[in-house]
């Protein structure tokens, strides 16, 4: 049982997700399963697909990987229809329960609607409290559910107008896909914190978190959904598909999340018109310029650190070697919920390639340091494999501030950078001979080609700078709860 069945006090803020939807294709559910498979890196805890066959909605939601369930022809057969949407999800807050798995579905006055959300609302708890005080019955502890309630309460006429009305009341990040009986809708928050793209497969529109989900099914990339844009794809009575776009939330400059480039997105994706791989490689090049070191070998912490390590090696002229081998049959370190298991997970995932390490001065390249758990384990492992020196170079700046928009970073005090006075102390704690981080301008330059515009930053970088792009109502405003005192949800799954 839970202490907090309504999710009124829970920290529902940390969720990593991917979304996908397609309209007008006879194999909509199969294509959605493939799209979700390509987006699996965005969430490995649960996956769901909702389809509509012209008469009825069908829903399959499961804990586990996409391939654990949606490769079963029986499961896909239970998702008939010409439109489908799906979601992959990972949550850090312990509520690994089926009723939180998306897409969430509701039967409304205006007909059924399914929604899938990547991102997090920073007024989700506040809205939830208000809704529950007003008589709403919440089924999940996910902040996404408030959108369904806001749609249900909206006085607007059509389902898409109600969807827009609901999204106008949330703050934070959303890349959202919704599906009604005739429409597939894609929407991005006014800052465009999380990515969402529009694709096309033989005239059938697709929404997906990343372009890699289009590539897997041979679909064309049409364009990014703009920040603050709502795109409605509708299937008409004669089967024609129409697409309309609006900017109902007002215009703002885009501020995509830099962490998509640092860690989150797949390297073969093009996010915001920029190759993620090229951005990561540039990070490594800039890192080598900013923080050179005399060494014999550049070794990536795979897979996250690999593109940056290639860049570092090219720029420095130090040979690149795979000094750490990654086991691909375990999930990401981060998916293990407790600190002790997380530490254990690193050993399951990485092993030292002694032949390339023994007797050498090693530069280890990782994409980021969050808690420092990975670095401690890796340094110990590299030393045990005979390294003479271990220098860590990190392809992003130090993280001082928690994220509230859909990236899994922990509370303020668990961040390594907040536990030590400087990089020297951090290096000592990790056991490295030296430790250096890419500068914020080095990162901006790697991603967008220019330094940070401090008057109007081109991206959101709040975890590095504390400059949050939205209000944080749940932490500071009407909801009034200190970030450090928000209790974690406890629920048996
Ligand atoms: P740490 O072990 O320092 O807590 O985390 C750093 C490692 O986790 C890095 O190797 C990086 O690849 C990965 N990582 C960094 N940020 C995130 C994130 O937001 N979500 C997940 N799942 N992993 C992350
Ligand atoms: Mg990593």
């Amino acid at each position: 049982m839970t202490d907090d069945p309504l999710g009124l006090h829970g920290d529902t803020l940390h969720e990593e997700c991917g979304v996908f939807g397609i309209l007008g294709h006879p194999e909509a559910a199969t294509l959605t399963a493939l799209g979700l498979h390509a987006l699996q890196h965005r969430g490995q805890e649960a996956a769901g697909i909702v389809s509509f066959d012209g008469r009825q909605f069908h829903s399959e939601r499961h804990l586990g990987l996409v391939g654990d369930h949606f490769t079963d022809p029986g499961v896909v057969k239970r998702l008939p229809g010409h439109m489908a949407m799906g979601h992959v999800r990972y949550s850090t807050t312990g509520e690994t329960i089926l009723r939180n798995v998306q897409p969430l579905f509701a039967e409304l006055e205006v007909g059924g609607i399914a929604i899938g959300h990547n991102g997090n609302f920073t007024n989700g708890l506040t809205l939830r409290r208000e809704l529950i005080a007003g008589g709403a019955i919440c089924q999940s502890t996910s902040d996404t559910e408030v959108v369904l309630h806001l749609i249900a309460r909206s006085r607007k006429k059509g389902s898409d107008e109600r969807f827009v009305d609901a999204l106008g009341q949330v703050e934070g990040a959303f890349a959202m896909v919704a599906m009604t009986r005739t429409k597939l809708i894609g929407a991005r928050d006014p800052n465009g914190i999380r990515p969402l793209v529009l694709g096309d497969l033989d005239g059938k529109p697709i929404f997906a978190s990343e372009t890699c989900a289009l590539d897997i099914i041979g679909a064309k990339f049409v364009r990014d959904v703009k920040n603050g844009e709502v795109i409605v794809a509708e299937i008409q009575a004669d089967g024609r598909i129409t697409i309309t776009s609006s900017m109902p939330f007002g215009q703002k400059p885009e501020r995509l999340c830099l962490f998509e480039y640092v860690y989150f997105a797949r390297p073969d994706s093009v996010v915001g018109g920029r190759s993620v791989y090229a951005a990561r490689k540039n990070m490594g090049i800039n890192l080598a310029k900013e923080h050179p070191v005399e060494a014999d070998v550049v070794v990536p912490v795979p897979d996250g650190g690999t593109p940056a390590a290639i860049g570092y090696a090219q720029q420095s002229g130090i040979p690149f070697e795979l000094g750490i081998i990654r086991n691909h049959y375990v999930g990401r370190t981060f998916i293990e919920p407790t600190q002790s298991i997380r530490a254990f997970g690193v050993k399951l995932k990485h092993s030292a390639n002694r032949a390339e390490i023994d007797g050498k001065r090693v530069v280890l390249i990782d994409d980021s340091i969050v808690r420092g758990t990975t670095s401690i384990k890796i340094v110990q492992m590299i030393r045990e494999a005979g390294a003479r020196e271990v220098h860590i170079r990190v392809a992003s700046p130090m993280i001082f501030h928690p994220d509230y928009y859909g990236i899994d970073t922990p509370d303020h005090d668990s961040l390594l950078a907040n536990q030590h006075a400087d990089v020297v102390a951090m290096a000592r704690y990790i056991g490295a001979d030296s430790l250096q981080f890419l500068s914020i301008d080095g990162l901006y330059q790697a991603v967008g080609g220019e330094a940070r515009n401090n008057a109007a930053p081109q991206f959101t970088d709040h975890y590095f700078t504390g400059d949050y792009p939205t209000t944080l109502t749940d932490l500071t405003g009407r909801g009034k709860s200190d970030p450090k005192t928000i209790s974690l949800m406890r629920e048996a799954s």
Side-chain angles (χ1 to χ4, degrees):
M1 263 315 282
T2 168
D3 294 347
D4 182 18
L6 300 180
L8 288 176
H9 308 289
D11 175 2
T12 56
L13 296 173
H14 295 307
E15 276 185 286
E16 299 188 337
C17 306
V19 290
F20 184 94
I22 181 165
L23 175 65
H25 198 287
E27 290 187 274
T30 306
L31 292 166
T32 301
L34 288 164
L36 292 181
H37 176 63
L39 296 172
Q40 188 78 79
H41 60 286
R42 299 186 72 88
Q44 302 88 14
E45 192 181 75
I49 298 179
V50 169
S51 72
F52 181 69
D53 65 6
R55 285 184 21 251
Q56 252 189 309
F57 285 91
H58 305 269
S59 168
E60 287 280 335
R61 301 185 300 161
H62 298 274
L63 299 178
L65 300 175
V66 177
D68 293 344
H69 304 282
F70 293 98
T71 46
D72 176 352
V75 172
V76 178
K77 214 179 265 160
R78 292 199 294 273
L79 292 164
H82 59 284
M83 55 201 290
M85 61 171 285
H87 188 265
V88 288
R89 172 179 190 269
Y90 161 58
S91 142
T92 51
T93 48
E95 347 95 89
T96 312
I97 44 174
L98 208 45
R99 63 191 164 86
N100 280 344
V101 179
Q102 300 185 31
L104 299 180
F105 177 80
E107 201 66 70
L108 305 172
E109 187 192 359
V110 287
I113 188 166
I115 59 173
H117 175 202
N118 172 211
N120 271 124
F121 303 138
T122 51
N123 64 342
L125 289 174
T126 306
L127 287 171
R128 170 182 284 268
R129 283 193 195 103
E130 288 170 3
L131 285 163
I132 289 176
I137 297 167
C138 286
Q139 305 283 333
S140 78
T141 56
S142 153
D143 65 346
T144 307
E145 193 179 7
V146 302
V147 175
L148 282 183
H149 286 282
L150 294 173
I151 295 170
R153 274 154 201 254
S154 171
R155 295 292 105 218
K156 302 281 187 216
K157 233 171 74 232
S159 52
D160 48 334
E161 290 156 289
R162 287 178 172 223
F163 180 64
V164 166
D165 190 31
L167 289 182
Q169 298 170 61
V170 302
E171 73 186 27
F174 57 83
M176 196 165 288
V177 175
M179 193 173 89
T180 71
R181 301 165 70 92
T182 55
K183 291 169 187 159
L184 187 71
I185 310 171
R188 258 178 103 202
D189 70 74
N191 292 292
I193 297 171
R194 300 260 75 83
L196 188 68
V197 299
L198 177 66
D200 176 291
L201 182 63
D202 307 327
K204 316 302 181 200
I206 296 168
F207 293 107
S209 292
E210 291 180 37
T211 57
C212 64
L214 303 176
D215 296 335
I216 192 178
I217 54 171
K220 282 198 303 265
F221 168 73
V222 177
R223 64 177 178 87
D224 290 303
V225 177
K226 295 192 201 89
N227 55 307
E229 186 183 22
V230 177
I231 298 180
V232 179
E234 181 170 11
I235 193 153
Q236 305 293 338
D238 61 5
R240 258 182 334 115
I241 292 173
T242 56
I243 293 184
T244 53
S245 153
S246 63
M247 306 288 291
F249 312 122
Q251 266 294 37
K252 271 190 159 192
E254 180 176 37
R255 291 189 75 180
L256 240 161
C257 173
L258 270 180
F259 238 72
E260 293 284 347
Y261 296 100
V262 169
Y263 170 79
F264 204 19
R266 228 170 74 163
D268 56 334
S269 285
V270 176
V271 174
R274 305 166 196 97
S275 153
V276 173
Y277 179 83
R280 285 184 192 160
K281 210 172 136 188
N282 289 337
M283 290 171 209
I285 291 172
N286 291 351
L287 187 58
K289 289 180 187 162
E290 289 182 12
H291 300 293
V293 60
E294 224 175 275
D296 304 309
V297 63
V298 173
V299 170
V301 179
D303 291 325
T306 304
I310 292 172
Y312 194 100
Q314 272 180 17
Q315 178 62 31
S316 65
I318 303 169
F320 170 97
E321 298 295 352
L322 295 177
I324 299 171
I325 302 303
R326 153 111 193 247
N327 184 323
H328 285 270
Y329 305 97
V330 290
R332 295 193 308 195
T333 328
F334 251 75
I335 71 172
E336 304 296 349
T338 67
Q339 186 75 11
S340 57
I341 294 177
R342 202 178 289 119
F344 176 58
V346 175
K347 278 191 206 147
L348 287 178
K349 190 162 125 177
H350 293 121
S351 54
N353 182 7
R354 176 175 278 276
E356 296 301 327
I357 301 277
D358 198 9
K360 296 201 176 140
R361 297 169 299 172
V362 176
V363 198
L364 276 178
I365 310 286
D366 206 352
D367 57 277
S368 56
I369 290 185
V370 184
R371 297 176 179 83
T373 319
T374 307
S375 312
I376 290 181
K377 289 283 149 192
I378 296 278
V379 169
Q380 193 189 339
M381 196 177 79
I382 294 293
R383 288 211 191 276
E384 282 167 9
R388 265 203 296 140
E389 290 172 20
V390 184
H391 303 275
I392 303 184
R393 295 294 178 269
V394 184
S396 58
M398 276 190 247
I399 299 175
F400 294 105
H401 307 274
D403 179 87
Y404 303 113
Y405 304 110
I407 285 288
D408 165 29
T409 54
D411 61 80
H412 175 274
D413 294 349
S414 307
L415 294 166
L416 185 74
N418 291 326
Q419 298 169 352
H420 302 276
D422 52 24
V423 281
V424 178
M426 284 169 77
R428 198 177 311 126
Y429 173 77
I430 286 172
D433 293 292
S434 75
L435 170 67
Q436 294 293 347
F437 293 81
L438 183 62
S439 70
I440 190 88
D441 280 340
L443 175 58
Y444 267 75
Q445 205 281 334
V447 177
E450 49 192 33
R452 186 180 199 264
N453 175 355
N454 292 329
Q458 304 90 317
F459 300 97
T460 183
D461 54 16
H462 46 278
Y463 17 75
F464 308 127
T465 60
D467 173 12
Y468 290 91
T470 71
T471 42
L472 303 172
T473 298
D474 286 341
L475 307 180
T476 56
R478 288 175 292 163
K480 276 279 188 325
S481 40
D482 183 86
K484 287 178 201 155
T485 62
I486 288 183
S487 60
L488 290 189
M489 185 77 52
R490 280 180 297 276
E491 171 121 27
S493 47

